[in-house]
């Protein structure tokens, strides 16, 4: 009702964005843990890690969808 159906390419792009977002969460958390282990102070706040992962995931998906649309218009 409120949402349109995703095409196959949009589904693939969404999965790619989710994978990159998960990897960015994992890498940022690993960096934060290692830094905390040596300095006993957190490098990133939880808020920064959360929004960095979300921006990376949705941004990558958005970029991939735009690239596919521009290819299809040609």
């Amino acid at each position: 009702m409120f949402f349109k159906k995703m095409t196959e390419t949009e589904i693939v792009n969404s999965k790619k964005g989710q994978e990159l977002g998960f990897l960015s969460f994992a890498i940022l958390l690993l960096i934060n843990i290692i830094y905390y282990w040596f300095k006993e102070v957190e490098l990133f706040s939880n808020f920064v890690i959360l929004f960095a992962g979300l921006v990376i995931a949705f941004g990558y998906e958005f970029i991939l969808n735009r690239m596919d649309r521009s290819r299809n218009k040609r």
Side-chain angles (χ1 to χ4, degrees):
M1 182 172 180
F2 294 110
F3 302 105
K4 71 175 185 83
K5 286 243 183 216
M6 293 174 67
T7 63
E8 288 298 318
T9 56
E10 288 175 337
I11 292 171
V12 170
N13 292 341
S14 177
K15 288 182 182 180
K16 287 180 183 178
Q18 290 171 10
E19 290 171 359
L20 186 64
F22 177 77
L23 287 174
S24 65
F25 281 133
I27 291 169
L28 287 174
L29 286 171
L30 179 66
I31 291 169
N32 206 29
I33 289 170
I34 291 171
Y35 189 83
Y36 183 78
W37 191 30
F38 287 113
K39 301 284 186 174
E40 295 186 6
V41 176
E42 290 185 348
L43 182 62
F44 305 116
S45 69
N46 294 335
F47 182 79
V48 170
I49 294 172
L50 173 69
F51 275 97
L54 290 175
V55 166
I56 289 170
F58 288 118
Y60 187 58
E61 178 185 352
F62 178 78
I63 290 169
L64 290 175
N65 286 334
R66 286 290 179 173
M67 287 172 41
D68 286 337
R69 284 186 195 139
S70 68
R71 281 188 208 132
N72 291 339
K73 285 185 179 181
R74 291 181 193 180

